[in-house]
Amino acid sequence: MSKKTTHLLIAAITATIGLCILSCNTPMHEKPDATIYNGFGEITLVDNSGYFEIMRDDHVLLRVIEYCGCKDIKPGERVYFKYNILPETDNYTIGRYTTEQPSYDIKLLVFNKILCVPIIRKSFLDKDTPQRDDSIGHDPIRVVTASFSGNYINIGFEHFCRFGNAERHIVNLVWDDTRPAGDSVYLELRHNAMGCGGIDIAKGLASFRIIDLMPEGMESIDIRLKSSMAKQENSNEYITTDKYYSGTYTPSFTTKSYIADNEFFPSENDTSDF
């Protein structure tokens, strides 16, 4: 079982240290598309020159031509990012792609590595109860947003921490595979504060590979996502309560890019269902 902590998530939102991948002296393209897009994907290539590529969840290749941030990245890492689309460059040949591959040259604006760990089966926890169940925790956690993208469910969340310190917190997603086949797929976001609870609120972002839960022969599955904390209506007060979110995962219809004004942590007037 993974012991990655939400420190990784918070660092993914705010980190600016690391290896500077591409120099700010890189020649800039003229008149990029002013639209800012959000996306989820995977790092597929990191060149020694600093050039790198991201495969978006809908299998569109993004060639990072302009980026002045500093990141230590590796192929295979899952990322959340914002970007502008640049005019096409016919003579840029570093990337390993074919002319048939849907692709864009982009200017990368925001770039975050995010937590991506396997979904845990409830049957696995039940084999050594309560030790395994207790190890992933029963501490409050709130789903802020959830969406499907490619093979994944992406969850933005909040939990209590001690003065912004979330270094030791653990977040996992549990699938109740003990329910009868044909029922909705029940998932529960779990949180272990590792004894570091508090009154401050930390935010995090995680992706979990949901396509592996698709029964053979089915084109979609209904999802019921449970969390243990909610925000009272018209108030900043948090309460501990079971909260469910519903959605339908259809792999062939749920891959898309996101416009930046539809942020992953939206206003409280937006629905959290997905």
Side-chain angles (χ1 to χ4, degrees), residues 7 159-169 196 200 202:
H7 172 65
H159 60 71
F160 291 115
C161 66
R162 185 175 299 166
F163 304 114
N165 184 357
E167 290 186 2
R168 299 179 59 197
H169 292 235
C196 292
D200 202 6

Side-chain angles (χ1 to χ4, degrees), residues 164-223:
N165 184 357
E167 290 186 2
R168 299 179 59 197
H169 292 235
I170 298 172
V171 171
N172 281 291
L173 190 64
V174 175
W175 167 36
D176 188 353
D177 61 331
T178 65
R179 289 179 175 268
D183 198 356
S184 296
V185 173
Y186 281 77
L187 303 172
E188 182 178 6
L189 192 65
R190 297 282 294 272
H191 170 222
N192 187 344
M194 302 295 288
C196 292
I199 60 173
D200 202 6
I201 289 291
K203 296 178 182 289
L205 176 60
S207 286
F208 302 92
R209 186 177 167 87
I210 198 173
I211 196 169
D212 297 333
L213 309 189
M214 287 285 299
E216 186 175 354
M218 293 188 64
E219 295 182 355
S220 66
I221 51 175
D222 292 329
I223 299 294

Side-chain angles (χ1 to χ4, degrees), residues 70 76 224 239:
C70 294
R224 293 274 283 166
I239 58 173

Side-chain angles (χ1 to χ4, degrees), residues 224-272:
R224 293 274 283 166
L225 173 62
K226 175 184 175 183
S227 63
S228 56
M229 185 168 71
K231 212 171 186 180
Q232 289 186 323
E233 189 174 355
N234 300 320
S235 171
N236 288 325
E237 297 293 325
Y238 291 84
I239 58 173
T240 300
T241 183
D242 289 344
K243 174 82 173 178
Y244 286 89
Y245 305 84
S246 301
T248 300
Y249 174 61
T250 308
S252 58
F253 295 107
T254 55
T255 53
K256 58 183 180 180
S257 293
Y258 304 90
I259 303 301
D261 59 2
N262 183 16
E263 291 291 345
F264 211 81
F265 288 96
S267 71
E268 292 304 318
N269 296 324
D270 294 336
T271 178
S272 290

Side-chain angles (χ1 to χ4, degrees), residues 2-13:
S2 170
K3 293 298 181 181
K4 291 185 178 180
T5 69
T6 51
H7 172 65
L8 298 176
L9 302 178
I10 304 305
I13 302 298

Side-chain angles (χ1 to χ4, degrees), residues 6-271:
T6 51
H7 172 65
L8 298 176
L9 302 178
I10 304 305
I13 302 298
T14 60
T16 58
I17 61 174
L19 174 65
C20 189
I21 296 285
L22 200 58
S23 170
C24 293
N25 294 324
T26 300
M28 297 297 178
H29 286 62
E30 294 183 1
K31 297 181 180 179
D33 182 350
T35 303
I36 299 175
Y37 298 92
N38 293 358
F40 291 87
E42 179 180 311
I43 303 296
T44 53
L45 171 68
V46 179
D47 189 81
N48 291 335
S49 68
Y51 167 87
F52 63 103
E53 295 177 350
I54 302 171
M55 184 65 72
R56 210 168 62 188
D57 278 352
D58 57 356
H59 304 294
V60 171
L61 183 67
L62 302 178
R63 302 186 294 269
V64 182
I65 308 300
E66 296 182 14
Y67 177 52
C68 291
C70 294
K71 284 291 177 182
D72 182 9
I73 61 172
K74 300 176 182 177
E77 290 180 327
R78 184 157 175 78
V79 292
Y80 168 67
F81 50 93
K82 297 181 183 182
Y83 60 98
N84 299 130
I85 296 176
L86 296 168
E88 292 185 5
T89 304
D90 294 334
N91 61 354
Y92 200 83
T93 58
I94 294 179
R96 300 170 185 172
Y97 60 91
T98 66
T99 55
E100 292 79 17
Q101 171 73 56
S103 59
Y104 295 103
D105 292 346
I106 68 167
K107 177 180 179 180
L108 197 59
L109 304 174
V110 176
F111 179 80
N112 302 310
K113 292 186 285 187
I114 57 179
L115 177 68
C116 184
V117 295
I119 295 174
I120 298 173
R121 293 173 179 256
K122 187 176 185 297
S123 60
F124 170 80
L125 301 178
D126 291 345
K127 288 180 180 179
D128 189 12
T129 300
Q131 284 79 10
R132 287 180 180 175
D133 194 55
D134 289 344
S135 69
I136 61 173
H138 303 278
D139 296 306
I141 188 167
R142 174 182 178 241
V143 171
V144 180
T145 60
S147 68
F148 301 116
S149 181
N151 297 329
Y152 295 88
I153 181 172
N154 308 300
I155 302 175
F157 58 84
E158 294 179 330
H159 60 71
F160 291 115
C161 66
R162 185 175 299 166
F163 304 114
N165 184 357
E167 290 186 2
R168 299 179 59 197
H169 292 235
I170 298 172
V171 171
N172 281 291
L173 190 64
V174 175
W175 167 36
D176 188 353
D177 61 331
T178 65
R179 289 179 175 268
D183 198 356
S184 296
V185 173
Y186 281 77
L187 303 172
E188 182 178 6
L189 192 65
R190 297 282 294 272
H191 170 222
N192 187 344
M194 302 295 288
C196 292
I199 60 173
D200 202 6
I201 289 291
K203 296 178 182 289
L205 176 60
S207 286
F208 302 92
R209 186 177 167 87
I210 198 173
I211 196 169
D212 297 333
L213 309 189
M214 287 285 299
E216 186 175 354
M218 293 188 64
E219 295 182 355
S220 66
I221 51 175
D222 292 329
I223 299 294
R224 293 274 283 166
L225 173 62
K226 175 184 175 183
S227 63
S228 56
M229 185 168 71
K231 212 171 186 180
Q232 289 186 323
E233 189 174 355
N234 300 320
S235 171
N236 288 325
E237 297 293 325
Y238 291 84
I239 58 173
T240 300
T241 183
D242 289 344
K243 174 82 173 178
Y244 286 89
Y245 305 84
S246 301
T248 300
Y249 174 61
T250 308
S252 58
F253 295 107
T254 55
T255 53
K256 58 183 180 180
S257 293
Y258 304 90
I259 303 301
D261 59 2
N262 183 16
E263 291 291 345
F264 211 81
F265 288 96
S267 71
E268 292 304 318
N269 296 324
D270 294 336
T271 178

